[in-house]
Amino acid sequence: MFLVSKRSLLRHTFLSSTLQGYVELTIFPTVVNLNRIKLNSKQCRIYRVRVNELEAPFIYNDPTLEVCHNESKQRNLNYFSSAYTAAVSAVDPDAGNGELVIKVPSELWKQGDDLKVLKVYIEFSLDQPKGGLHFVVPDVEGSMAERGAHVFSFGYQNSTRFWFPCVDSYSELCTWKLEFTVDASMVAVSCGDLVETIYTHDMRKKTFHYVLPIPTAAPNISLAVGPFEILVDPYMHEVTHFCLPQLLPLLKHSMSYLHEIFEFYEEILTCRYPYSCFKTVFVDEAYVQVSSYASMSIFSTNLLHSPMIIDQTPQTRRCLAQALAQQFFGCFISRMSWHGSCLYFTSFYTTSTTMTWHQTTAPVWSSKVSWFRAPGGLKGGGSWTL
């Protein structure tokens, strides 16, 4: 099958760390006799599945939840490794497998044989996820916005299935419509262009509507929700920065250099930035310093710094350079699969592009550091390696 587009609507609750929503997939069959549709989904509780407005039976089976099937005789790592590999292969989307198996109603079999479009509608919920989404709820008094509560997506390249049903593979590209309903005091940041924000009648909640017209794989889709302060880049209005409350002064200083990285990459690559916008989101308790997704990157708040902390400047700029390079190589130019040779292609070009920027700017940065440190009474100059 060929995935044409996907629409997602999500609602979340910080107090109980839950998420409710639905996904709507538009599928164009490429083979006849398509009577089953296999998707990836972990942790999600599936309530209802419809195909072209008809109720469809489904089976959910995650073999990784019970790898050894109560095997008591063979208790060694070799047996576990082979059993786990078999379990992962059984739900590998590149092999046409998945945890969620949907049976296409018999009334639609002829439509599938005629290679006509099928629309799959799935209602689901997520309760206290162990992966894919990370809820940060500080244990202090006040409302969720006053406490700085936020949630963001994270994980490795096959972790999108942890927070909504999808084809969790780099080989399946599609366009996206993403809708997120949050409290009025919160901001939802996701991939693509924000086309509109609609409030409910009581003004207590609002829905953010994002559209990503460039075909993108599910592993390159992300989400961040929180009481973010917003900064539109003064040099590039298509770039928007988001940070947690009271960190806006640090954000302004830390992001003041990003436009120069844009100009450098577009010059050496002789092409424009591939997306119509770029968003940087700084969150707390991030597992890695930077995670890149289509048209946005999620950073750790530890990268933000004031003008007085010059030691942090090269590391922050290196992460910005890496995140922007991954927009070209990794998000826009994507690998075919996790095991494919394109993995090394995208990683090589991301690293080489970042290192080219580093080699160009490092001598300038070293001289600036030497100038700053000399008046302070330190002996000799100083230089930092990115």
Side-chain angles (χ1 to χ4, degrees):
M1 67 180 184
F2 179 75
L3 197 59
V4 179
S5 65
K6 181 176 291 187
R7 179 182 178 184
S8 300
L9 173 63
L10 303 178
R11 301 181 178 88
H12 80 283
T13 304
F14 278 110
L15 193 61
S16 57
S17 298
T18 59
L19 180 146
Q20 294 180 341
Y22 74 83
V23 295
E24 185 179 285
L25 299 88
T26 303
I27 297 175
F28 182 79
T30 56
V31 296
V32 296
N33 299 324
L34 181 64
N35 53 18
R36 281 181 172 79
I37 298 173
K38 297 182 180 181
L39 302 175
N40 297 115
S41 178
K42 283 180 177 287
Q43 303 183 121
C44 299
R45 179 175 296 176
I46 308 299
Y47 294 105
R48 185 184 185 187
V49 176
R50 289 183 293 168
V51 180
N52 285 18
E53 302 301 328
L54 296 178
E55 297 292 332
F58 63 91
I59 299 175
Y60 178 80
N61 178 38
D62 184 2
T64 61
L65 296 178
E66 189 178 1
V67 177
C68 296
H69 300 285
N70 298 321
E71 174 63 42
S72 59
K73 297 181 179 179
Q74 303 186 59
R75 293 181 177 272
N76 56 74
L77 291 178
N78 289 334
Y79 178 78
F80 176 82
S81 178
S82 60
Y84 188 78
T85 301
V88 171
S89 299
V91 294
D92 184 6
D94 292 319
N97 299 321
E99 295 89 352
L100 179 62
V101 180
I102 302 171
K103 184 178 179 180
V104 178
S106 57
E107 296 89 339
L108 300 176
W109 286 1
K110 186 179 186 305
Q111 185 169 339
D113 293 341
D114 295 337
L115 303 183
K116 293 183 179 180
V117 171
L118 298 176
K119 288 186 178 292
V120 180
Y121 176 91
I122 305 172
E123 292 182 9
F124 71 97
S125 69
L126 195 61
D127 184 20
Q128 297 182 351
K130 304 300 181 183
L133 285 181
H134 182 57
F135 285 82
V136 181
V137 184
D139 188 14
V140 295
E141 296 181 353
S143 64
M144 288 298 168
E146 295 170 344
R147 295 160 65 178
H150 58 287
V151 59
F152 59 93
S153 58
F154 75 99
Y156 294 100
Q157 283 75 6
N158 60 346
S159 297
T160 307
R161 69 185 73 183
F162 281 86
W163 56 287
F164 69 89
C166 61
V167 181
D168 201 5
S169 170
Y170 286 100
S171 62
E172 289 290 343
L173 308 181
C174 67
T175 58
W176 295 78
K177 290 183 179 180
L178 303 159
E179 302 174 9
F180 305 98
T181 301
V182 299
D183 293 336
S185 58
M186 296 291 176
V187 177
V189 187
S190 189
C191 303
D193 299 308
L194 177 62
V195 293
E196 62 179 347
T197 303
I198 301 177
Y199 282 82
T200 56
H201 295 294
D202 56 6
M203 302 297 290
R204 297 179 60 182
K205 292 184 179 296
K206 55 185 176 182
T207 302
F208 291 81
H209 295 257
Y210 286 90
V211 174
L212 183 59
I214 297 177
T216 303
N220 285 329
I221 298 298
S222 66
L223 167 68
V225 178
F228 298 121
E229 295 187 8
I230 305 173
L231 171 67
V232 178
D233 195 286
Y235 300 97
M236 303 180 66
H237 298 307
E238 63 270 26
V239 179
T240 310
H241 311 290
F242 301 84
C243 70
L244 295 172
Q246 302 180 9
L247 296 178
L248 190 58
L250 303 182
L251 181 69
K252 290 181 178 179
H253 172 72
S254 302
M255 296 295 103
S256 61
Y257 187 78
L258 181 61
H259 69 284
E260 297 188 24
I261 304 177
F262 262 95
E263 295 173 0
F264 179 81
Y265 282 172
E266 290 182 345
E267 180 179 352
I268 65 170
L269 296 174
T270 64
C271 68
R272 298 283 297 176
Y273 171 72
Y275 299 100
S276 58
C277 64
F278 182 58
K279 299 172 283 290
T280 63
V281 186
F282 290 83
V283 299
D284 195 18
E285 298 184 9
Y287 290 85
V288 292
Q289 296 279 40
V290 55
S291 299
S292 295
Y293 306 92
S295 77
M296 70 175 289
S297 294
I298 297 178
F299 299 88
S300 169
T301 53
N302 297 332
L303 295 174
L304 298 177
H305 61 92
S306 71
M308 304 299 295
I309 312 298
I310 61 175
D311 300 60
Q312 182 61 37
T313 300
Q315 181 180 358
T316 298
R317 291 184 177 179
R318 182 189 65 184
C319 290
L320 290 175
Q322 174 189 343
L324 191 55
Q326 289 173 339
Q327 293 296 310
F328 291 89
F329 307 107
C331 295
F332 183 69
I333 301 177
S334 179
R335 69 201 69 161
M336 183 64 179
S337 68
W338 176 251
H339 304 287
S341 59
C342 288
L343 166 65
Y344 306 101
F345 171 81
T346 54
S347 298
F348 168 76
Y349 273 95
T350 297
T351 304
S352 62
T353 305
T354 306
M355 291 305 298
T356 302
W357 167 83
H358 162 58
Q359 293 170 0
T360 305
T361 59
V364 178
W365 171 246
S366 297
S367 62
K368 287 183 178 180
V369 172
S370 300
W371 184 84
F372 267 108
R373 297 189 62 170
L378 297 177
K379 295 182 179 179
S383 63
W384 275 253
T385 302
L386 296 182

